[in-house]
Amino acid sequence: MTSANDKAPVITVDGPSGVGKGTLCQWLALRLGWRLLDSGALYRLTALAARHRDLPLDEESRVAAVAAELDVKFVTTDGNGSLRVILDGVDVGAALRGESVGNAASRVAALPAVRAALLQRQRDFRRPPGLIADGRDMGTVVFPDAELKLFLTASAGERARRRHKQLSEQGLDANLKCLVGEIAERDARDTQRATAPLKPAADAEVLDTTRLSIADVCAWALALALQRLNCPENL
Ligand code: DC
């Protein structure tokens, strides 16, 4: 049976690590007044919760059980769309964004049972007036019927530079050389895994952002959204 929620429009934004999906998605969600799904955070939270329980990350069924039972709350703290993330009652905001949790997330994300455990939780974010879904398999697996599918790319060097800038701005330690290596390793794991590998959906709009500014990318996405969805802007 389909509900009103299943019919809420979705814009999916997929692409590799550090390409700028998060910035674009937050901007689009604010601009359109839609909800936001940061699916990478669910994989990061699963990795963090497994670590808190001293679970080896390759114990698929036990890590999947942790994913299925994640006790997490996303709390909006101001009008700019900033979120506090509460895992097992504790604010895990800063720890969640670090590179070591990102790498652990990429490992648990390769486990099919973990992906299956998180599937419905992600689909439950689809509610009126609409959803911006940020991830790797939003357009291919989670929301294959999305109204608009965007896929961003950029060279690995440029993505490492962007991630370095973002981490430094957040006061987190980062070494550019290490980031290049980690991004390459994560790309390989995310694109080569058997279940839901990172790739554009056949009907996705693909944009190479290597030489573009954030403003260019936002303008491209908004123009497509307004044209495709006929949705009023939340001005
Ligand atoms: O977007 P992110 O850096 O927060 O994602 C962390 C890891 O989670 C990333 O390396 C791949 C994985 N991931 C995934 O496999 N599928 C998603 N929809 C989102 C993230």
Side-chain angles (χ1 to χ4, degrees):
M1 205 173 65
T2 51
S3 68
N5 290 347
D6 297 327
K7 291 192 198 117
V10 182
I11 298 176
T12 60
V13 183
D14 291 304
S17 299
V19 77
K21 301 184 300 291
T23 309
L24 170 63
C25 288
Q26 275 189 19
W27 185 87
L28 266 182
L30 264 180
R31 192 69 195 251
L32 298 175
W34 287 13
R35 289 162 59 84
L36 175 63
L37 164 63
D38 173 3
S39 62
L42 295 177
Y43 290 97
R44 286 171 182 264
L45 285 160
T46 300
L48 203 56
R51 192 186 270 177
H52 288 164
R53 289 161 179 74
D54 284 331
L55 274 185
L57 295 182
D58 54 0
E59 288 212 11
E60 182 163 358
S61 59
R62 293 176 73 192
V63 178
V66 167
E69 284 156 23
L70 273 185
D71 172 12
V72 60
K73 289 187 189 65
F74 296 96
V75 185
T76 311
T77 51
D78 58 36
N80 295 323
S82 303
L83 273 186
R84 281 175 62 216
V85 185
I86 315 291
L87 175 66
D88 296 324
V90 178
D91 190 330
V92 291
L96 206 59
R97 300 321 315 171
E99 286 305 285
S100 91
V101 175
N103 284 322
S106 167
R107 286 177 58 198
V108 302
L111 306 173
V114 170
R115 304 198 74 84
L118 292 176
L119 189 58
Q120 192 56 46
R121 192 187 280 261
Q122 294 174 82
R123 289 184 173 154
D124 288 344
F125 278 76
R126 183 177 201 167
R127 295 209 208 122
L131 177 69
I132 308 294
D134 168 345
R136 304 292 188 291
D137 60 341
M138 298 294 98
T140 50
V141 175
V142 182
F143 302 109
D145 60 340
E147 279 71 11
L148 176 62
K149 300 178 183 179
L150 306 177
F151 192 94
L152 304 183
T153 66
S155 70
E158 173 60 18
R159 286 184 285 127
R161 200 190 58 73
R162 289 178 191 172
R163 182 53 65 91
H164 183 258
K165 182 166 174 274
Q166 185 187 38
L167 291 171
S168 310
E169 282 167 1
Q170 290 167 358
L172 295 170
D173 251 356
N175 172 300
L176 188 56
K177 232 182 189 167
C178 293
L179 280 177
V180 173
E182 282 171 9
I183 279 197
E185 197 183 307
R186 206 163 342 148
D187 278 358
R189 201 163 31 222
D190 293 346
T191 53
Q192 287 162 24
R193 67 181 174 227
T195 309
L198 170 66
K199 63 170 183 197
D203 51 350
E205 307 284 343
V206 181
L207 183 68
D208 181 348
T209 69
T210 306
R211 290 186 178 75
L212 299 180
S213 67
I214 292 169
D216 292 335
V217 179
C218 290
W220 170 80
L222 184 64
L224 279 170
L226 296 178
Q227 172 195 340
R228 188 77 62 89
L229 298 150
N230 199 20
C231 50
E233 284 186 67
N234 185 38
L235 293 172

